[in-house]
Amino acid sequence: MRDFSPDHRWLSLNTATVRRQGDLAQIVEACARHGIRAIDPWRDQVAAIGLDRAVRIVRDAGLELSGYCRGGMFTSDAAHRSEVRDDNRRAVDEAKALGAPCVVLVVGGLPQFSRPGSAPSKDIAAARAQVDDAIADMLDYASQANMPLAIEPLHPAYAADRACVNTTGQALDICDRLDPQRSGLLGVALDVYHIWWDPELMPQIARAGKDRLLAFHVCDWLVPTEDILNDRGMMGDGVIDIRSIRAAVEAQDFAGFCEIEIFSNAWWDRPMDDVLRTCIERHRTVV
Ligand code: ZN
């Protein structure tokens, strides 16, 4: 297992962590100030400053990417299906332009929440079937661009509105169905916030293996959690045994960035430099 204590060379910042403190250009500047060498930007942050400018500032700062957030939200009614497909193809194109190693997929829950305006449904099995079909379609497009897709299983609390893929095993079942040859173009983004509770986690990480482990996200689970979306904890402030999960991922030879992704009203209220200093300190001591 890698020793993170001497430096933070394997720290990547998911830019949502400080999205209220500045735009993508300001976040990139702050990363340079703090010696952070990788980010995972969000599409809305890229769009806000323009793709060309985003590409330029990332390149000029010498930053790497650990992913691109995000594609997916595949579930919709029939009327929205082509819009969903085109939107996801654009995500692949943007990721390619930015030099991302993968597009992170949050697959969508029930259609009326994933793609507002879609006819309401309570059929989660149908949503899951639709996710399979849509990933297969996106994989065709992404393969031509040689852009890997990383399915992020989300905690079951998000099954209705964000993702009906809720366990690592379920995400790997999709990978095995659509990419049995393990091409490296389809895998998982494992976020400790979503997966830490799963009794099947450790065997599923072993099942994933190096070629399916495309991204690793960290934060912490606070008790109590006041807001399921925007009350994630800073690493070390909650109950997740982050180091054991990282050890399991690295036992499969995962050697990528350890990406900090914290959606938190509390941390969004703090100055950007404070947040980044704390991220670095916790990366070295508890991740
Ligand atoms: Zn994540």
Side-chain angles (χ1 to χ4, degrees):
M1 187 175 175
R2 293 174 290 180
D3 178 8
F4 283 177
S5 65
D7 57 55
H8 57 285
R9 56 191 300 208
W10 293 110
L11 187 163
S12 172
L13 180 73
N14 184 297
T15 55
T17 304
V18 285
R19 72 179 178 211
R20 287 203 200 142
Q21 288 93 326
D23 68 11
L24 187 60
Q26 293 165 313
I27 295 169
V28 165
E29 276 172 31
C31 286
R33 274 201 300 283
H34 290 270
I36 291 173
R37 48 183 212 114
I39 59 170
D40 178 350
W42 281 66
R43 292 185 74 192
D44 60 325
Q45 293 173 310
V46 168
I49 67 164
L51 178 62
D52 292 344
R53 183 165 171 231
V55 167
R56 206 166 50 241
I57 61 171
V58 165
R59 191 188 50 218
D60 290 351
L63 280 173
E64 287 187 54
L65 265 61
S66 56
Y68 188 46
C69 277
R70 58 176 161 55
M73 294 296 166
F74 296 115
T75 46
S76 74
D77 61 13
H80 292 79
R81 218 151 288 173
S82 63
E83 174 193 317
V84 170
R85 191 196 57 215
D86 293 348
D87 180 40
N88 278 304
R89 290 181 174 184
R90 278 196 302 277
V92 170
D93 297 343
E94 292 162 21
K96 197 76 196 169
L98 286 159
C102 61
V103 176
V104 175
L105 301 182
V106 171
V107 300
L110 297 172
Q112 63 270 37
F113 304 111
S114 303
R115 296 285 169 173
S118 289
S121 164
K122 294 183 178 177
D123 191 344
I124 195 167
R128 287 176 170 147
Q130 196 178 7
V131 165
D132 263 42
D133 291 347
I135 293 178
D137 181 74
M138 187 177 181
L139 187 59
D140 276 346
Y141 187 84
S143 299
Q144 286 163 35
N146 200 27
M147 176 55 63
L149 302 179
I151 304 168
E152 183 166 4
L154 259 53
H155 187 284
Y158 300 96
D161 59 352
R162 285 195 159 69
C164 58
V165 171
N166 305 107
T167 64
T168 307
Q170 196 189 347
L172 290 171
D173 287 346
I174 296 173
C175 294
D176 287 351
R177 276 197 297 276
L178 302 183
D179 178 49
Q181 69 280 24
R182 298 176 80 95
S183 66
L185 289 165
L186 187 61
V188 293
L190 295 187
D191 185 323
V192 299
Y193 188 76
H194 297 298
I195 61 172
W196 71 276
W197 56 274
D198 182 355
E200 288 297 311
L201 179 60
M202 293 303 175
Q204 292 298 334
I205 288 174
R207 173 189 170 196
K210 183 181 167 62
D211 33 81
R212 295 269 199 240
L213 292 170
L214 301 183
F216 183 60
H217 300 173
V218 297
C219 65
D220 215 332
W221 185 279
L222 301 178
V223 180
T225 289
E226 309 281 353
D227 178 321
I228 193 66
L229 186 60
N230 294 326
D231 190 28
R232 294 188 183 202
M234 177 63 66
M235 300 78 68
D237 289 349
V239 296
I240 302 178
D241 185 353
I242 299 170
R243 195 159 282 171
S244 292
I245 301 175
R246 182 164 77 84
V249 166
E250 294 193 8
Q252 300 304 317
D253 291 332
F254 175 81
F257 287 101
C258 198
E259 179 181 320
I260 297 174
E261 182 183 37
I262 303 172
F263 307 146
S264 160
N265 291 319
W267 288 99
W268 283 325
D269 276 346
R270 304 267 291 264
M272 179 137 58
D273 287 309
D274 276 9
V275 178
L276 297 189
R277 257 194 302 275
T278 309
C279 285
I280 290 166
E281 193 255 318
R282 301 297 177 86
H283 173 87
R284 293 174 64 161
T285 53
V286 300
V287 173

